[in-house]
Amino acid sequence: MPPTPADPRRRVLLYGGSFDPPHLGHVMAATWALALERFDEVRLVPAFGHPFGKRLTPFLLRCNMVAAAVAHLGPRVRVEAIEGELPAPSYTIDTVNALSAREPGVAWTLMMGADAWADRRKWKAWDALEAKVSTLVVGRAGAPDPDGVVAETKLPDVSSTEVRRRAAASVAFDRLVPAAVTDLIRAHGLYSGRAAASAGAELAPAAASGARSAARYGVLGRGRAARSLVP
């Protein structure tokens, strides 16, 4: 159950994903969660690695893109880079356990898409995770709610897959992502033939200045990712 008004614990919403790249749907979800006034913080949690081995854009670049995407929302919305400190892949239960150990006394809520909610029983240690967090389910326009839950809101049908497809085909994608994310995608040639970075690569020198600016947006964590993003 969500914390009661008398509960003194800090209330933090976790919103995880690959964010490859972050798009306007992600920004809208974070904005909506902030507007609910139920949470002291909203943290976007990029996955360091994919549990099924799917190739991802380098973690630091994705953190930087997320930071740029939500910078306008202020200090209560942050990038949580803890998965850069954990063995990969870090399942949600592992991430929540690590956060709870680092920050005891926080009431955690996990924001989940309706599709993820429908598959929750396939998640590692779901029962243990459910005992540690509250959940907030969001839907997608045109998709039905899963059995047993009503999504509190529905987001536009925008996907990172479509952004990557358009970028690879040199088709305009700038209406699907924040302008700052568009700039980073183009600056690094992401999702196109000239993008040579692999999932474990470090930021290229050209990204270093962008990474330093991400520090102003707020990147949480003390591991290799956070140290690279914050000078």
Side-chain angles (χ1 to χ4, degrees), residues 146-158:
D147 292 341
V149 69
V150 176
E152 292 199 32
T153 192
K154 296 223 173 183
L155 301 172
D157 188 11
V158 181

Side-chain angles (χ1 to χ4, degrees), residues 103-135:
E103 301 174 65
V106 171
W108 304 102
T109 297
L110 184 66
M111 184 153 64
M112 304 172 64
D115 52 347
W117 173 264
D119 289 338
R120 68 194 184 283
R121 294 294 173 188
K122 300 177 183 178
W123 287 28
K124 178 184 176 183
W126 169 257
D127 290 340
L129 177 62
E130 190 175 29
K132 293 176 178 289
V133 300
S134 300
T135 54

Side-chain angles (χ1 to χ4, degrees), residues 45-123:
V45 190
F48 185 80
H50 196 279
F52 301 114
K54 175 182 172 183
R55 181 176 176 176
L56 298 174
T57 298
F59 181 69
L60 300 180
L61 275 173
R62 286 184 288 115
C63 286
N64 202 33
M65 285 193 287
V66 173
V70 299
H72 65 288
L73 296 178
R76 287 175 54 210
V77 180
R78 302 178 177 229
V79 177
E80 171 56 76
I82 193 169
E83 292 206 4
E85 307 170 30
L86 304 177
S90 179
Y91 295 94
T92 304
I93 183 64
D94 302 324
T95 301
V96 169
N97 283 340
L99 285 169
S100 297
R102 190 179 76 185
E103 301 174 65
V106 171
W108 304 102
T109 297
L110 184 66
M111 184 153 64
M112 304 172 64
D115 52 347
W117 173 264
D119 289 338
R120 68 194 184 283
R121 294 294 173 188
K122 300 177 183 178
W123 287 28

